[in-house]
Structure formats: C-alpha cells, structure tokens
Amino acid sequence: MSALLKLARAMDWISTQLGRFAAVAVLAAAMISAGNAFVRYGLDMSSNGWLEIQWYLFAATVMLGAPVVLKLNEHVRVDIIYGKLKGNGPVYVDLFGLLVFLLPVMAAIAWLSWPLFYSMLKSGEMSNNAGGLIRWPAMMLLPLGFALMFLQGVAEVIKRIGYLQGKFEMDTHYEKPVQ
C-alpha cells in the first residue's frame, strides 16, 4: 500500500502543477479576449487565430484543471445522501462513485477520443476559418485531459482505501455548498 500511496501523491503533484498551468491559461485567455475586443472595436481589425487561441486556452483550463478539482474534493456531487452520512459513509460513497462512474467513463472517453486526435495530427487539419489554427493541439486535450482525470481518479481510490485501512490521513469533512 505504501508504494500505491506514493503513486497517488505523485499524481496529486502532477495535478497540482497542471492546475497552476490551467490558472495561467485562463488568465491568458481573458487577456487575449480583452485584447481582441479592443483591437476589433477600437481599431476595426480582427484575427481568427487570436479568437481560436482563446478557445484552445479555455479547453486547456477545463481539461487540465479538472484533475486538481477532483484532488481538492471540490467537484460536483449529488448531495441528496452524501451530506447526511457520518463516519466512513462518505468515503464509501466516494469509492462507489469513483469505481462505478468516474473511472469507466474517463477511460472510455480517453480511448474513444484518441483516434480523432490522431487523425487530426496525421492530417494536419486546419480550422475552416481564414487565418485559423491547426486543430490537433486542441483535440489533444481530450484524450490527455480524460486520461489525467482517470489517473487522478485512481489516486483518489488509493487514498480512500488507504484511509479506510488507517494508512492515510484524509479530511472527510464535507460542507454542503451554499445555494
């Protein structure tokens, strides 16, 4: 179990670093968006490439930032039962959700999105818009992001099993979101 916990901590570190990159990507997307608005309305000029890079950065924010959200236990969950559970109950619900829903879906989507990315990479597919960008870097974020989410899910399973065995300390306090 100690080797698996080291693996989980390594995945946590990777997710944290990618979360930092996602934070920079969202800032860059906002700055590019503001610059695009100024150039378009202030100088009456525009570029499809600059418009598309905003979407690429937004895709990076979502796909590379999602694993750190799971790591921080800030993801969306159905709160009908979860908030009422005491003791190890929430940990068992988390394990069920991770093993039955998250891991199979992330693996399937990563697997299914790979051929699309690969065909775009191989063909060098470009945007249909004049001055647009190549598409494979944005498409690469699909299999990469879902694979990283799968790996973070595996890390979460390991940590919860370690917690149940008394080999890993974890904050199981859950605070229902304000609505």
Side-chain angles (χ1 to χ4, degrees), residues 11-12 15 67 70-71 148-156:
M11 190 59 218
D12 285 351
S15 292
L70 181 62
K71 172 197 168 283
L148 289 166
M149 193 68 169
F150 176 86
L151 293 173
Q152 186 61 48
V154 169
E156 296 305 314

Side-chain angles (χ1 to χ4, degrees), residues 34-153:
N36 277 338
F38 172 75
V39 168
R40 179 181 301 138
Y41 297 111
L43 304 176
D44 199 28
M45 296 175 10
S46 187
S47 164
N48 286 328
W50 284 106
L51 292 172
E52 289 180 9
I53 197 69
Q54 293 173 96
W55 291 106
Y56 285 28
L57 289 168
F58 181 70
T61 299
V62 172
M63 298 308 293
L64 301 179
V68 77
V69 172
L70 181 62
K71 172 197 168 283
L72 295 172
N73 205 24
E74 294 291 330
H75 55 286
V76 176
R77 60 170 44 98
V78 178
D79 191 37
I80 296 170
I81 300 170
Y82 194 87
K84 294 175 178 38
L85 297 175
K86 303 291 181 223
N88 290 337
V91 178
Y92 286 113
V93 170
D94 283 345
L95 277 171
F96 177 78
L98 290 164
L99 293 170
V100 173
F101 297 110
L102 183 96
L103 293 180
V105 170
M106 294 301 108
I109 296 174
W111 176 262
L112 293 171
S113 63
W114 177 259
L116 182 59
F117 155 68
Y118 185 70
S119 71
M120 284 186 177
L121 175 65
K122 200 165 72 170
S123 71
E125 183 176 330
M126 297 288 294
S127 169
N128 293 335
N129 299 318
L133 304 175
I134 56 173
R135 288 206 166 154
W136 70 262
M139 190 53 63
M140 173 186 64
L141 291 168
L142 284 176
L144 178 63
F146 286 113
L148 289 166
M149 193 68 169
F150 176 86
L151 293 173
Q152 186 61 48

